[in-house]
Amino acid sequence: MNWFFRAIIVLASAGLIVGCTGEKEATITILISPDHIKGWKAIGEAFSKKYPNLKVNFEAPSSSTDDRQTKYTTCFLAEDAAYDLVYMDIIWVPKFASKGWLEPLDDKFPESARADFLPGDIEGSIYKGKIYRVPMQSDAGMLYFRKDLLEKAKLKPPQTFSELMRACTKLQKKPDLYGYVFQGKQYEGLVCNFLEILWGYGGDVFDSDGKLVINSPEAVKALGWLVDAVRNYQVCPMGVTTYNEEECHRTFQEGHAVFMRNWPYAWSMTQQEGSPVKGKVGIVPMVHAAGKKSAATLGGWGIGISKFSNNKKEAWKFIEFATSAPIQKLLHEREGLIPTRKSLFKDKDILEKSPHYGKLYKVLLGARPRPVHERYTEISDIMQKHLSASLIGDETPRQAARLMAVEIEVALGQK
Ligand code: GLC
């Protein structure tokens, strides 16, 4: 290769080539989930129409939040400029921000611009007073049920853990129809599912003073309930300990489960033309123990800018564009993803297709964050390991609760 072409490649990768319009030509890269790639590509195309000098490259290596976090982390550790935009799960913010891998966005995204966003999504984007992402997709766990099957059996949607278990054993007709599907694989989704049950029994991981309280009777009951569902009452399919969100969604949509715990995105797909459960699905807040309250895990995604990007200005243009109301609406229409802008929960078109959005809005407002901690990944890894060991019968819930506590204490240097 001669010196001229080599120089072009160096300049291009540093994003320094300026097009004939006088604007810098750049391709900005972002890592997302393959599950929603079509919607994102439509956003990329609309963006390039508005800014013909800019292109967005979507890398979609894995559905798992853990895998994508590892990919971003590896890249940041090498101070690599491969990703300009960081599409961040709410739980990554403290870690990425504390390591200095993100650009603070306070000047570009001031308080006044944050007013239309759901408060939990904004709070989850802030670390030590600075904001690092603009919320794009909100999330909170919900319980889906087969309205038709419950009505036929003259059952109301369950409110407590025991009502749910009873309805599962009563309505399931194995092997074609199982009672319950949830995210039982050893990954972040399992922690989200477990926390809803733990909170529903009145327990927690840390108390309000930051003291670790996971080795508790509530944790044993919560994990015991899941173990009952999988192993003792067998209301879940055999493979549930390998299910993530999409496996649950597919099983439910194909009509093989009465109940499903999932994020709200699955709703629109179950209601699409040709879906075997179209018109037969209801959604309620997750169940809880008698006398306690239900709790949804707060999830959600937002876009930030990598400290190592060579295209920070262009990356911001994309963030502004993608998180605007019309584009969030587009992503919702294409992929069923939940907007983060309050105004969209009153949008006529959205309400027409998703009449439960009024209720969902309230669930989102009350959703609870996972432990907000710089070392959350380690905490979650420990939980994932022992929750999973219990579900496959290698540890009792009591052993799992004790081991989670011991290992988290050691990891955080408290022992
Ligand atoms: C959803 C949530 C995210 C959570 C993940 C777990 O994508 O939005 O916060 O970590 O599911 O699988």
Side-chain angles (χ1 to χ4, degrees):
M1 200 188 302
N2 70 25
W3 66 269
F4 177 75
F5 287 114
R6 238 180 250 144
I8 295 268
I9 288 169
V10 170
L11 288 173
S13 61
L16 293 176
I17 294 192
V18 171
C20 48
T21 55
E23 295 275 350
K24 175 176 148 185
E25 304 254 341
T27 298
I28 47 181
T29 299
I30 184 168
L31 201 64
I32 55 154
S33 164
D35 298 337
H36 309 295
I37 184 98
K38 284 194 192 136
W40 278 103
K41 286 207 162 151
I43 295 179
E45 277 160 27
F47 179 68
S48 294
K49 255 198 193 145
K50 179 160 183 194
Y51 300 104
N53 54 317
L54 302 179
K55 284 201 178 64
V56 192
N57 173 31
F58 296 98
E59 269 188 33
S62 162
S63 299
S64 150
T65 171
D66 312 63
D67 293 349
R68 296 201 306 277
Q69 182 184 176
T70 308
K71 257 207 141 198
Y72 273 124
T73 301
T74 312
C75 180
F76 295 148
L77 284 170
E79 303 194 359
D80 191 325
Y83 302 118
D84 304 287
L85 294 154
V86 191
Y87 194 45
M88 253 179 289
D89 193 339
I90 193 159
I91 48 173
W92 308 349
V93 176
K95 171 174 163 182
F96 285 10
S98 67
K99 302 264 186 210
W101 293 337
L102 303 171
E103 281 292 304
L105 302 176
D106 301 73
D107 53 335
K108 303 182 184 68
F109 187 39
E111 301 257 347
S112 54
R114 299 175 201 169
D116 188 33
F117 290 82
L118 286 158
D121 292 324
I122 291 291
E123 238 168 78
S125 307
I126 294 176
Y127 176 74
K128 293 203 169 152
K130 290 196 174 146
I131 195 150
Y132 291 94
R133 45 162 229 177
V134 181
M136 176 72 186
Q137 179 204 334
S138 198
D139 250 346
M142 314 276 293
L143 184 69
Y144 290 69
F145 63 94
R146 284 284 301 279
K147 231 169 28 182
D148 56 329
L149 300 180
L150 263 72
E151 272 163 19
K152 206 163 140 209
K154 299 202 164 40
L155 285 177
K156 284 208 188 107
Q159 290 190 357
T160 64
F161 292 119
S162 13
E163 283 171 9
L164 173 56
M165 194 72 85
R166 266 203 303 277
C168 287
T169 49
K170 184 164 180 198
L171 297 177
Q172 67 177 1
K173 288 199 174 61
K174 296 192 290 191
D176 291 333
L177 180 67
Y178 281 85
Y180 186 54
V181 284
F182 70 100
Q183 291 87 67
K185 181 177 156 180
Q186 185 178 332
Y187 80 122
E188 182 59 32
L190 175 57
V191 175
C192 299
N193 281 240
F194 170 71
L195 285 177
E196 286 164 0
I197 302 173
L198 176 63
W199 291 327
Y201 272 105
D204 212 336
V205 181
F206 295 96
D207 68 11
S208 50
D209 298 326
K211 191 170 145 235
L212 187 66
V213 291
I214 187 125
N215 187 11
S216 65
E218 290 80 14
V220 176
K221 278 191 219 159
L223 188 49
W225 188 85
L226 273 180
V227 170
D228 274 349
V230 177
R231 305 183 64 77
N232 302 330
Y233 294 101
Q234 298 183 355
V235 298
C236 306
M238 284 283 282
V240 80
T241 50
T242 62
Y243 281 16
N244 62 16
E245 286 84 0
E246 265 307 275
E247 270 113 28
C248 292
H249 157 234
R250 278 198 292 271
T251 306
F252 185 79
Q253 181 148 336
E254 281 157 18
H256 299 310
V258 186
F259 295 98
M260 165 175 77
R261 184 277 175 200
N262 215 328
W263 307 100
Y265 81 95
W267 165 264
S268 330
M269 278 174 265
T270 61
Q271 298 313 301
Q272 267 164 13
E273 240 9 272
S275 157
V277 294
K278 185 172 177 351
K280 300 178 180 167
V281 179
I283 308 189
V284 281
M286 187 58 188
V287 291
H288 50 82
K292 301 272 191 263
K293 280 206 265 169
S294 67
T297 300
L298 177 67
W301 297 79
I303 324 178
I305 302 178
S306 157
K307 195 87 186 173
F308 310 106
S309 164
N310 293 317
N311 302 305
K312 291 187 181 129
K313 264 199 206 140
E314 295 68 24
W316 175 250
K317 275 190 181 155
F318 180 76
I319 294 180
E320 259 189 322
F321 180 82
T323 59
S324 65
I327 300 300
Q328 286 201 8
K329 186 170 169 184
L330 177 101
L331 192 62
H332 167 78
E333 280 164 3
R334 296 282 176 113
E335 301 291 340
L337 297 177
I338 314 308
T340 53
R341 286 185 176 271
K342 294 182 207 159
S343 48
L344 290 175
F345 288 81
K346 295 189 200 121
D347 184 275
K348 210 168 65 345
D349 305 329
I350 293 187
L351 281 172
E352 202 177 301
K353 281 202 185 137
S354 307
H356 62 291
Y357 258 51
K359 268 194 228 152
L360 173 60
Y361 184 68
K362 288 200 188 117
V363 173
L364 289 168
L365 289 181
R368 290 176 65 167
R370 284 157 270 178
V372 179
H373 203 289
E374 287 159 20
R375 316 257 312 257
Y376 175 75
T377 315
E378 287 157 74
I379 299 170
S380 172
D381 281 347
I382 294 168
M383 290 179 66
Q384 293 173 25
K385 186 170 78 185
H386 293 292
L387 295 173
S388 177
S390 216
L391 292 184
I392 60 171
D394 282 354
E395 288 170 14
T396 63
R398 198 174 295 280
Q399 285 169 328
R402 194 174 51 79
L403 290 169
M404 285 194 276
V406 171
E407 290 181 24
I408 293 173
E409 264 174 358
V410 171
L412 300 185
Q414 294 177 352
K415 246 201 170 161

